[in-house]
Amino acid sequence: MVQKKSEKEALTVEALESKVVDLKKEQMNLRFQHEAGQLPKTHVLRKTRREIARVKTKLNAKK
């Protein structure tokens, strides 16, 4: 799900906003799995959170 920097820069504002929504949904699902004890790779939570921050940074730069 991680994209290269050049791929993120090519996205439009609408695409970045929808990506943030998708990542937040994924983060919520990962949190539920973690609480239920079904998430063996807990580092995925941190990666998702950081990816949301990266996309939001690009979004704010474009606005």
Side-chain angles (χ1 to χ4, degrees):
M1 184 116 197
V2 177
Q3 293 179 329
K4 293 183 179 179
K5 184 178 179 182
S6 60
E7 292 173 348
K8 283 185 208 157
E9 290 175 357
L11 294 175
T12 63
V13 172
E14 294 83 17
L16 288 171
E17 288 173 345
S18 68
K19 185 153 181 68
V20 169
V21 170
D22 292 340
L23 286 169
K24 286 193 175 226
K25 286 179 184 177
E26 181 181 346
Q27 183 185 28
M28 184 180 66
N29 289 334
L30 290 171
R31 270 193 262 146
F32 285 142
Q33 289 177 9
H34 180 65
E35 289 298 320
Q38 298 174 350
L39 186 65
K41 298 179 183 177
T42 56
H43 69 278
V44 179
L45 281 168
R46 175 182 261 182
K47 281 187 173 185
T48 305
R49 187 176 72 238
R50 289 183 179 178
E51 186 66 23
I52 291 170
R54 285 185 192 105
V55 173
K56 281 186 171 182
T57 301
K58 285 291 176 193
L59 183 61
N60 287 332
K62 286 197 179 228
K63 286 185 177 180

